[in-house]
Amino acid sequence: MNFLAVILCVLLAAASSAEGFNVSYDQRAFLIDGKRRILISAGIHYPRATPKMWPNLIAKAKEGGANVIQTYVFWNGHEPRKGEYNFEGRYNLPKFVQLVAEAGMYFHLRIGPYVCAEWNFGGFPVWLRDVPGIKFRTDNEPFKAEMEAFTKVIVEKMKGLRLFAWQGGPIIMAQIENEYGNIESEYGKEGKKYVKWCANMAESLGAGIPWIMCQQSDAPLNVINACNGYYCDGFKPNAPGRPIVWTEDWNGWFQNWGGTVPHRPVEDNAFAIARFFQRGGSFHNYYMYFGGTNFERTAGGPFITTSYDYDAPLDEYGLVREPKWGHLKELHAVLMECEEALMYVDENPEYISLGPNQEAHVYTATAHPEICAAFLANIDSRSSAVVKFRGKMYDLPAWSVSILPDCKTVVYNTAKIGAQTTLVSTRRSSPSLRSMDLVSLGGSQISYNGLVWEVQEEPIGIRGNGTRTESSLLEQIKVTGDTTDYLWYTTRFEVSEKDAEELHRKNGEAFLVLEAVRDALHIFVNGKSVGSASGSWFRVNQSITLEEGTNKIALLCMTVGIQNYGAFLEKDGAGIKGKVEVRGLSSGPLDLSHSEWVYQVGLKGEELGFFTDSGSQSDSWVPATTLPLEKPLIWYKSTFSAPDGQDPVALDLASMGKGQIWVNGIHLGRYWTLSAPKQGCNGCDYRGPYFSEKCVTGCGEPTQRWYHIPREWLKEDANLLVLFEEVGGDPSSISIVTRSPETVCAQVSDTHPPPFRMWAILRNPVQGQPREAVLPEVRLECAIGQQMSRIVYASFGNSTGMCGNFFQGKCHAPLSRTIVEKACLGRRFCSIPVSTLEFGDDPCFGVPKTLTVQAHCRPADELSSENLSREDTVTISGLYSSKWQRFQVVSERFSNQKIQSVSIDI
């Protein structure tokens, strides 16, 4: 069966008559029907998006050069209660796999079923903790029985829908366990037995595809050990006959409440990937290609944000993040161009030292020397280098790799970005009030940013039925079953007349001391809020004012995601443990640890469904003539219309404190405007090894300000918005916003390689014409439905600054703006060659020059008729031949790799 037939099988995977294909592997690569393949995988987690988002995410991953989609399988989403399975909505895994098949891509299924993933409890269902005698992730019969049962459910469901490769489906590999090698030593001999059991159990299920374990140096021989990390170019499998697999390339990092926002420069990410394939890699996966959102209470923890953006090539809303997406797309295209040469070499390529920190790896076929690809690397983190390779000189920037698909011509360098940079604009949507709404206000209510609020208070402490009384402190998750973030601990105690008089005489305060608390706590004494705190098993020493007689303490404990990583997760917990004392009394410390504690699970608003249609109609809601600012435990309700257009929608909560959000009864997740430290955002140098704190932004700002509202969860009008505010905020500043990529920039020097789509010309030049005449170029592209309305900045010379803040240098071609405006205004796509011949006289002879452009994109219907009349095609102009003749390539779509027509004007 030829390769086209294989692709056809994948496309028709959902059809029962689809013809299957074999997946195997050798020491060099995975073999798809006997052919070695380079596999580039995009990590996309289906429940971190919505089903209507899936097709677009998959399509953008494919357009970006991926041929595999990878996901974890989330046990607690699929089996929320023992024996009750859920494959609906965001957990419709079969539909997600089928969409990948329809896109003509392969699939990597990481069952785990422990996944980590910064997901609540690492993906384990909370009921698993209560199985008698259970110990997680070790040679424990109760755990192995549950793990095997769930894994079998997933495999059988995929098999029943004919989704494995041998059935004609897209699934070419699966994973069992996850990063167990990092904690295996904690379990001793029982851990080693468990690893062998996992491999044998997985193989026994008859999936008919290779199984992988990541971070498992003692992986049994019936599975493939794989690498996770920022760099995997030095990784080798733990046994011969296996390909080099990179299951998680951390191309970003997750966010923690109160932390800065991490970014990984694309130059470093591309360097790491190029080095991986340079040194024999065959399968690479982005963790994440799309991160998405931790909707509901799925964020792990503690303290992982609702946003799981991960600085991925596709941002949290599904928008392309440039230049990361475009620069990596070029890399993928170049690697695929090299595939034949890379796959010819059975094990190690030819290695050539080019200097103290410079080296080359050459892949060539002995019988076919014309099939040749080379990687030239400079791993010096400070200095560029000029190296000699096969009789030619090559410039290598520091910390970069140049790729030569013919062992002669540099078509890509990891440090030289030709892709545009895109800045996303956030626009406030003002939902206009209809006339009937204005009448109903009666002049007493006020509209804030188009939102009219109603409020009600959440009662403090015990509210009625459903309480539990114990003479001890209970662990929170054991009581709540993780059905809610909230658990009330309340108790009463007496203060004697003598103690009260002594406190009053000294004008003193007593102190409430809690030995250990996790994750967050609000303290109320005699119905008044006295303090809040958060952390991982933190100590509390809170001053309190007491009265003579009975005093009541109400402690609202909150989880912020159950621990998702580490050994012995079943022992982890939350809430209050250790001693609880009142200190500062003349009679001595008062130990409340074994007093009578009354527990209430959850909130009244949760119990009555304040966020649902029925709960929102309750008479207990009060119109907010004035908003209760900075007051804790308040429910807020409003309605809004969906913003016009198709741009992604978000909620701006910069003015709020901490709480949770619902839209039309759907839980968007937690919010918290905890600010990051003011120090630490000191710029970023991509050169040198990356770590998560190296390149950060957001110092002094809330870690997360905007919260994604998927459009498929919205109606045209009367969308119900409900917030529960825990600590106090100002809802008058809340707004509905849309996010649109409206600013595009590019900086390309005359030393950049030409764009890779010109490789067809470079590879087969017109007779007698030099390759050097094919030029680098600036390429700009607005989003679908937009055109370039204004050139904000243009200079051919030595500009400084960055997108959104460029400065003209001393070297500047006066015709820069005129030439760029002629090429770009009124178009969605444009391209300008980077050459002195394009911009007139050389503005600074002998000095390297860069074309720097910033353009503003607006919807086409907002532009003038003059601009709208321009041809909506892209003209890729260039210079060619020894006489510098001009050529033009006209393409219907800028991002299409194929050249549809070429005309050379002599």
Side-chain angles (χ1 to χ4, degrees):
M1 183 170 60
N2 60 31
F3 183 69
L4 290 176
V6 173
I7 293 297
L8 182 60
C9 286
V10 177
L11 287 170
L12 300 176
S16 61
S17 60
E19 186 178 354
F21 57 95
N22 180 59
V23 182
S24 58
Y25 57 87
D26 62 15
Q27 75 285 357
R28 182 66 188 92
F30 287 95
L31 283 71
I32 308 297
D33 251 7
K35 182 178 180 180
R36 290 176 178 170
R37 294 299 314 274
I38 286 178
L39 297 173
I40 296 173
S41 173
I44 299 174
H45 294 161
Y46 52 101
R48 283 177 161 141
T50 62
K52 286 189 178 179
M53 292 174 67
W54 293 343
N56 188 49
L57 297 174
I58 294 165
K60 285 179 178 176
K62 183 177 181 179
E63 185 183 355
N67 53 10
V68 182
I69 297 294
Q70 181 201 88
T71 188
Y72 280 128
V73 177
F74 297 87
W75 188 356
N76 52 13
H78 290 297
E79 193 180 4
R81 290 164 294 280
K82 182 175 171 60
E84 298 179 19
Y85 296 100
N86 172 34
F87 290 94
E88 302 296 325
R90 295 187 355 264
Y91 292 97
N92 194 340
L93 174 60
K95 179 179 178 180
F96 183 67
V97 179
Q98 288 164 343
L99 287 171
V100 172
E102 292 168 12
M105 301 177 75
Y106 302 120
F107 202 94
H108 180 201
L109 189 68
R110 302 179 72 187
I111 300 177
Y114 165 75
V115 297
C116 182
E118 289 73 58
W119 190 263
N120 196 47
F121 210 25
F124 286 137
V126 172
W127 58 259
L128 200 64
R129 293 184 2 145
D130 299 327
V131 173
I134 199 164
K135 295 180 180 179
F136 290 4
R137 304 177 75 192
T138 188
D139 189 32
N140 171 266
E141 292 304 323
F143 177 76
K144 291 192 298 183
E146 298 294 346
M147 175 178 169
E148 181 174 8
F150 177 73
T151 306
K152 186 175 182 179
V153 165
I154 298 300
V155 171
E156 290 301 314
K157 180 168 281 290
M158 298 299 107
K159 198 184 297 184
L161 294 170
R162 304 187 63 80
L163 293 175
F164 288 111
W166 54 273
Q167 300 173 298
I171 303 174
I172 59 172
M173 64 186 80
Q175 179 180 306
I176 194 69
E177 251 299 339
N178 185 50
E179 298 180 328
Y180 188 70
N182 297 348
I183 61 166
E184 183 179 342
S185 61
E186 302 270 0
Y187 295 95
K189 293 180 180 179
E190 302 305 303
K192 291 190 174 295
K193 290 180 183 178
Y194 170 69
V195 170
K196 293 178 181 178
W197 173 84
C198 286
N200 292 332
M201 181 270 288
E203 190 177 41
S204 73
L205 298 177
I209 53 173
W211 285 87
I212 287 171
M213 283 184 172
C214 60
Q215 300 292 81
Q216 197 63 50
S217 59
D218 61 348
L221 296 181
N222 51 350
V223 296
I224 302 169
N225 181 34
C227 180
N228 292 358
Y230 293 119
Y231 306 94
C232 284
D233 52 287
F235 175 79
K236 298 295 180 185
N238 65 327
R242 286 153 176 73
I244 300 174
V245 177
W246 192 355
T247 32
E248 291 188 13
D249 171 7
W250 301 333
N251 53 291
W253 202 243
F254 58 88
Q255 300 170 200
N256 288 295
W257 298 115
T260 51
V261 181
H263 303 275
R264 187 179 183 187
V266 69
E267 298 97 325
D268 175 69
N269 204 176
F271 170 79
I273 298 164
R275 288 286 288 164
F276 175 71
F277 285 101
Q278 175 179 356
R279 300 182 67 185
S282 64
F283 175 97
H284 164 271
N285 173 71
Y286 289 100
Y287 190 98
M288 301 295 300
Y289 198 82
F290 163 81
T293 308
N294 292 315
F295 295 116
E296 301 173 301
R297 298 170 49 255
T298 58
F303 309 120
I304 291 166
T305 59
T306 298
S307 171
Y308 200 67
D309 180 87
Y310 222 89
D311 198 39
L314 301 178
D315 74 9
E316 179 182 359
Y317 302 84
L319 298 174
V320 168
R321 172 173 276 117
E322 295 282 23
K324 184 167 279 192
W325 185 85
H327 192 49
L328 295 174
K329 174 183 177 179
E330 288 273 297
L331 173 58
H332 302 155
V334 174
L335 289 170
M336 288 304 180
E337 179 69 20
C338 299
E339 183 179 42
E340 187 175 10
L342 294 178
M343 295 297 100
Y344 251 109
V345 177
D346 284 336
E347 292 191 42
N348 299 317
E350 178 187 2
Y351 171 81
I352 304 171
S353 176
L354 302 176
N357 289 301
Q358 297 78 38
E359 60 188 22
H361 289 77
V362 182
Y363 292 82
T364 188
T366 304
H368 301 277
E370 73 280 3
I371 301 174
C372 185
F375 297 77
L376 311 183
N378 180 8
I379 58 176
D380 192 303
S381 62
R382 287 291 174 263
S383 302
S384 60
V386 178
V387 300
K388 187 175 183 179
F389 173 70
R390 293 194 169 185
K392 290 181 64 177
M393 307 306 292
Y394 296 88
D395 293 318
L396 296 178
W399 203 252
S400 78
V401 177
S402 287
I403 304 178
L404 295 66
D406 60 356
C407 289
K408 300 174 185 177
T409 311
V410 174
V411 301
Y412 185 89
N413 179 271
T414 58
K416 293 184 176 182
I417 300 177
Q420 72 182 28
T421 295
T422 302
L423 301 182
V424 175
S425 298
T426 300
R427 290 179 170 270
R428 178 180 292 175
S429 172
S430 298
S432 57
L433 292 171
R434 296 169 300 174
S435 58
M436 67 180 68
D437 294 325
L438 291 170
V439 170
S440 68
L441 295 180
S444 60
Q445 283 185 268
I446 302 174
S447 168
Y448 301 95
N449 296 324
L451 298 172
V452 177
W453 295 99
E454 295 181 50
V455 301
Q456 58 178 305
E457 297 185 11
E458 174 71 25
I460 295 171
I462 303 308
R463 61 180 181 271
N465 297 328
T467 61
R468 175 177 177 178
T469 303
E470 300 283 347
S471 58
S472 62
L473 295 166
L474 301 181
E475 190 272 313
Q476 180 168 353
I477 301 171
K478 187 73 173 178
V479 178
T480 66
D482 196 39
T483 57
T484 173
D485 276 2
Y486 305 101
L487 178 64
W488 283 104
Y489 292 70
T490 64
T491 193
R492 299 171 183 269
F493 62 94
E494 299 296 320
V495 172
S496 68
E497 181 181 359
K498 179 181 178 182
D499 282 338
E501 289 177 353
E502 187 69 15
L503 285 171
H504 180 73
R505 186 178 65 81
K506 294 181 177 179
N507 197 25
E509 295 176 318
F511 291 88
L512 178 66
V513 179
L514 287 75
E515 188 174 351
V517 183
R518 178 176 174 180
D519 297 328
L521 176 72
H522 299 319
I523 304 170
F524 299 85
V525 176
N526 297 323
K528 295 181 180 179
S529 174
V530 298
S532 300
S534 62
S536 182
W537 295 124
F538 58 94
R539 180 181 175 86
V540 172
N541 191 15
Q542 175 68 49
S543 62
I544 57 176
T545 300
L546 299 176
E547 303 169 352
E548 180 183 345
T550 301
N551 289 261
K552 181 180 179 181
I553 290 181
L555 306 174
L556 181 58
C557 269
M558 294 158 290
T559 51
V560 192
I562 304 179
Q563 186 74 29
N564 59 264
Y565 180 77
F568 310 111
L569 287 179
E570 72 278 8
K571 296 181 180 180
D572 198 66
I576 303 171
K577 69 178 181 180
K579 279 190 175 183
V580 175
E581 293 183 328
V582 175
R583 297 181 182 177
L585 302 176
S586 59
S587 56
L590 175 62
D591 189 349
L592 302 177
S593 308
H594 296 285
S595 297
E596 183 179 86
W597 287 90
V598 182
Y599 297 88
Q600 183 109 49
V601 174
L603 307 172
K604 176 184 178 182
E606 290 178 307
E607 180 183 342
L608 299 180
F610 284 173
F611 42 81
T612 64
D613 284 339
S614 58
S616 67
Q617 302 302 317
S618 167
D619 293 339
S620 56
W621 290 98
V622 177
T625 53
T626 58
L627 290 171
L629 303 181
E630 308 304 329
K631 188 172 182 180
L633 306 191
I634 299 289
W635 290 86
Y636 295 96
K637 180 190 78 169
S638 187
T639 59
F640 65 96
S641 300
D644 294 336
Q646 294 302 314
D647 289 334
V649 181
L651 194 63
D652 184 351
L653 296 181
S655 63
M656 299 302 285
K658 178 181 182 295
Q660 301 191 31
I661 324 157
W662 292 263
V663 170
N664 292 328
I666 302 172
H667 195 178
L668 295 186
R670 304 179 182 99
Y671 70 86
W672 199 354
T673 51
L674 200 61
S675 292
K678 295 183 178 180
Q679 290 78 35
C681 300
N682 301 318
C684 179
D685 186 343
Y686 75 85
R687 300 172 300 176
Y690 177 77
F691 52 94
S692 60
E693 296 83 23
K694 182 179 181 182
C695 303
V696 297
T697 59
C699 289
E701 300 175 0
T703 304
Q704 184 175 350
R705 173 177 178 176
W706 291 286
Y707 297 81
H708 184 201
I709 309 175
R711 277 198 176 264
E712 71 185 87
W713 292 349
L714 294 178
K715 303 176 291 184
E716 183 177 345
D717 199 10
N719 292 283
L720 176 64
L721 171 63
V722 175
L723 294 91
F724 175 63
E725 171 59 49
E726 299 170 10
V727 296
D730 180 4
S732 67
S733 296
I734 292 175
S735 61
I736 310 298
V737 301
T738 57
R739 298 173 64 84
S740 175
E742 295 183 355
T743 297
V744 293
C745 304
Q747 287 181 289
V748 177
S749 75
D750 52 15
T751 64
H752 273 62
F756 180 68
R757 67 176 173 281
M758 296 302 184
W759 173 240
I761 297 173
L762 292 172
R763 185 173 48 194
N764 299 301
V766 177
Q767 188 174 2
Q769 310 303 331
R771 292 182 171 192
E772 291 77 8
V774 180
L775 298 172
E777 63 184 25
V778 157
R779 295 163 287 158
L780 296 174
E781 176 177 356
C782 294
I784 294 174
Q786 293 182 341
Q787 293 178 359
M788 283 171 241
S789 62
R790 183 164 54 97
I791 302 303
V792 179
Y793 182 89
S795 176
F796 180 67
N798 61 353
S799 298
T800 57
M802 61 183 63
C803 188
N805 196 28
F806 289 123
F807 301 96
Q808 185 175 302
K810 293 182 179 180
C811 175
H812 168 72
L815 293 176
S816 298
R817 180 179 291 274
T818 300
I819 291 169
V820 172
E821 286 181 342
K822 183 178 179 181
C824 299
L825 278 181
R827 291 192 169 101
R828 184 183 169 205
F829 318 105
C830 68
S831 174
I832 309 106
V834 181
S835 165
T836 53
L837 294 180
E838 186 77 14
F839 291 89
D841 295 335
D842 193 330
C844 42
F845 186 77
V847 176
K849 287 165 282 293
T850 297
L851 176 56
T852 303
V853 181
Q854 178 178 328
H856 188 66
C857 298
R858 293 297 299 144
D861 57 8
E862 295 182 12
L863 300 185
S864 69
S865 58
E866 178 184 354
N867 284 338
L868 284 174
S869 67
R870 298 195 179 199
E871 181 185 16
D872 190 19
T873 61
V874 59
T875 300
I876 307 168
S877 301
L879 297 173
Y880 196 70
S881 91
S882 57
K883 296 181 181 179
W884 300 103
Q885 298 157 350
R886 180 176 300 279
F887 74 87
Q888 289 189 328
V889 179
V890 180
S891 172
E892 290 184 1
R893 196 178 193 288
F894 180 78
S895 56
N896 192 340
Q897 295 268 349
K898 295 181 180 178
I899 296 175
Q900 297 170 338
S901 64
V902 178
S903 63
I904 301 180
D905 300 325
I906 305 299

